[in-house]
């Protein structure tokens, strides 16, 4: 158990809908990262927050947004969902060095 | 050309074999290199990280980085069936930000 929690574990929804994925980092970690993992694309970095502020942005679509709250939990919002958004979404938090990332168990999103 | 390339496998070896997993990359600015292990349907787990060129050993695992060739390797000695997983390399150029992952190599260690 990495200490990073993610909810929900599974999510099934329809095209055009909006969903929110939630992540709680390990105690004491200030950085949260979001990743998307699909079969044909591998693990893609989406966005990083550090202590409530956006720190780095990767291949995140404009339909997706994230935020980190004062209690350091983070939410990833996915809107106008398309079939191609079906994937595993992972959250990770990092130690103060920033190099050791601890991944949560992931949320499996299925868009029908 | 993708920024980080990895042979997807699957790679099947007998128990006890030495396994070599490799990644090549194109961005010469990468300085931090990591290896993750991912069991099916689980989150990736960090195995090792290294900075710049050289070797690093941790138990049965050895990580090598050759920046001149833009090539990194992970060696697993005395492989066990429990090592069966997908191995992902990752790297970044800016301490703690914007990690780029390879697509992963699926390893199967047969008893």
């Amino acid at each position: 158990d990495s200490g990073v929690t993610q909810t929900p574990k599974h999510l099934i929804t329809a095209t055009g809908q909006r969903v929110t994925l939630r992540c709680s980092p390990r105690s004491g970690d200030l950085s949260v990262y979001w990743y998307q993992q699909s079969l044909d694309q591998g693990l893609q970095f989406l966005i990083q927050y550090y202590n409530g502020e956006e720190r780095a942005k990767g291949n995140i679509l404009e339909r997706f947004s994230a935020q980190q709250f004062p209690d350091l939990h983070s939410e990833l919002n996915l809107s106008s969902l398309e079939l191609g958004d079906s994937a595993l979404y992972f959250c990770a938090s990092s130690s103060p060095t920033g190099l050791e990332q601890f991944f949560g168990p992931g949320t499996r999103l299925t868009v029908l | 050309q993708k920024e980080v390339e990895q042979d997807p496998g699957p790679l099947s070896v007998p128990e006890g074999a030495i396994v070599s997993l490799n990644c090549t990359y194109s961005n010469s600015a990468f300085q931090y290199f990591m290896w993750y292990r991912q069991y099916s349907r689980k989150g990736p787990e960090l195995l090792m990280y290294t900075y710049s060129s050289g070797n690093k050993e941790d138990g049965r695992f050895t990580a090598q980085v050759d920046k001149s060739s833009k090539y990194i390797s992970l060696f697993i000695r005395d492989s066990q069936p429990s090592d069966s997983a997908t191995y992902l390399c990752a790297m970044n150029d800016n301490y703690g930000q914007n990690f780029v992952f390879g697509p992963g190599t699926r390893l199967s260690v047969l008893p």
Side-chain angles (χ1 to χ4, degrees), chain B residues 14-81:
Chain B
E15 183 175 355
I18 296 175
V19 177
S20 171
L21 303 165
N22 311 296
C23 283
T24 58
Y25 62 94
S26 57
N27 187 347
S28 58
F30 287 143
Q31 295 188 63
Y32 302 94
F33 304 91
M34 290 134 278
W35 284 96
Y36 287 81
R37 177 175 62 197
Q38 185 176 23
Y39 293 113
S40 181
R41 297 175 179 266
K42 303 285 188 184
E45 169 195 8
L46 179 67
L47 287 175
M48 301 180 70
Y49 65 86
T50 56
Y51 170 69
S52 198
S53 285
N55 292 359
K56 184 175 181 179
E57 189 173 318
D58 184 0
R60 296 186 296 112
F61 298 92
T62 299
Q64 276 187 358
V65 175
D66 181 349
K67 288 191 70 182
S68 63
S69 302
K70 298 191 184 69
Y71 189 88
I72 69 171
S73 300
L74 177 71
F75 297 95
I76 307 174
R77 288 184 299 281
D78 188 25
S79 56
Q80 303 294 311

Side-chain angles (χ1 to χ4, degrees), chain A residues 60-109:
Chain A
I60 188 165
L61 300 172
E62 285 195 13
R63 300 183 285 108
F64 296 0
S65 65
Q67 54 184 327
Q68 186 179 28
F69 295 87
D71 67 352
L72 301 178
H73 91 272
S74 178
E75 292 181 358
L76 179 67
N77 299 296
L78 315 176
S79 61
S80 302
L81 285 167
E82 302 175 359
L83 295 177
D85 298 327
S86 296
L88 267 169
Y89 291 84
F90 288 106
C91 162
S93 69
S94 69
S95 64
T97 65
L99 289 176
E100 294 183 84
Q101 289 195 4
F102 299 88
F103 281 78
T107 293
R108 181 171 293 276
L109 174 66

Side-chain angles (χ1 to χ4, degrees), chain A residues 26-85:
Chain A
R26 291 187 326 152
S27 176
D29 286 352
L30 301 180
S31 273
V32 169
Y33 305 77
W34 285 98
Y35 292 87
Q36 179 192 60
Q37 187 175 43
S38 54
L39 279 174
D40 58 346
Q41 292 289 326
L43 198 63
Q44 299 287 314
F45 167 68
L46 296 178
I47 197 164
Q48 180 204 359
Y49 279 82
Y50 179 84
N51 202 20
E53 301 282 329
E54 182 183 305
R55 175 65 71 89
K57 223 170 193 177
N59 301 317
I60 188 165
L61 300 172
E62 285 195 13
R63 300 183 285 108
F64 296 0
S65 65
Q67 54 184 327
Q68 186 179 28
F69 295 87
D71 67 352
L72 301 178
H73 91 272
S74 178
E75 292 181 358
L76 179 67
N77 299 296
L78 315 176
S79 61
S80 302
L81 285 167
E82 302 175 359
L83 295 177
D85 298 327

